[in-house]
Amino acid sequence: MKLQSLFKAEITLAPPQELGEAPHGRRRIIPITGGRFEGEKLAGDVLPGGADWQVIRPDGVAALDARYTLETEDGALIYFEDRGYRHGPPDVIRRLASGEPVDPGSYYMRTTPWFDTGDARYAWLNRIVCVATGARRGGHVELQVFEVR
């Protein structure tokens, strides 16, 4: 298998809605306010209205479940769902949560994005497997999405 870069994205976030301790861990919802994605085969905007539904497990791992809409520069709408994990040393995660700049290499943030669209120009997205690496940077998240070839 080989990885081919599909796009880079910057997703802007609103402050988290903290729901507190739930049966599976600390539940939080982070609204997505917009953003941009750029790649060789597709580029456009991240539309506001999605969110990242997170659970911070008792072992400190953040289970990520983000869902939002991408709009390509030529007007196609693409549903984007991204699930994965973020974890690292407690002091690094604490600094990250407080908004401090943290080297993304000091923690693990990996996800498995998938796409769903009815636009024929981008139907190929419905048939590929992707992986991504991420970084939390204050009020936004950076993703580098790769197609598994």
Side-chain angles (χ1 to χ4, degrees), residues 59-62 85-89 93 106-109:
D59 64 358
V61 173
Y85 299 111
R86 184 182 63 226
H87 57 81
I93 298 303
S106 65
Y107 61 96
Y108 181 94
M109 186 173 172

Side-chain angles (χ1 to χ4, degrees), residues 2-133:
K2 295 181 183 179
L3 299 180
Q4 180 177 340
S5 179
L6 188 58
F7 62 78
K8 291 182 182 180
E10 184 174 297
I11 301 105
T12 57
L13 309 169
Q17 300 167 359
E18 298 286 349
L19 282 69
E21 290 297 326
H24 299 288
R26 184 167 50 97
R27 172 104 26 210
R28 55 198 313 234
I29 300 169
I30 305 168
I32 292 169
T33 59
R36 181 92 185 137
F37 64 97
E38 302 270 346
E40 190 176 308
K41 295 181 182 178
L42 69 163
D45 294 314
V46 175
L47 299 182
D52 185 0
W53 290 267
Q54 295 183 359
V55 174
I56 312 302
R57 300 184 329 202
D59 64 358
V61 173
L64 313 172
D65 181 5
R67 302 171 196 192
Y68 46 93
T69 305
L70 305 176
E71 182 175 22
T72 63
E73 291 176 336
D74 55 2
L77 294 177
I78 302 166
Y79 172 76
F80 183 79
E81 185 169 334
D82 196 24
R83 294 183 180 200
Y85 299 111
R86 184 182 63 226
H87 57 81
D91 64 310
V92 170
I93 298 303
R94 180 191 47 73
R95 290 184 13 243
L96 194 65
S98 71
E100 291 181 41
V102 176
D103 175 7
S106 65
Y107 61 96
Y108 181 94
M109 186 173 172
R110 303 293 185 268
T111 63
T112 55
W114 66 273
F115 306 89
D116 195 8
T117 185
D119 192 300
R121 298 170 293 175
Y122 295 96
W124 56 273
L125 288 168
N126 298 329
R127 300 184 298 269
I128 64 172
V129 172
C130 292
V131 294
T133 184

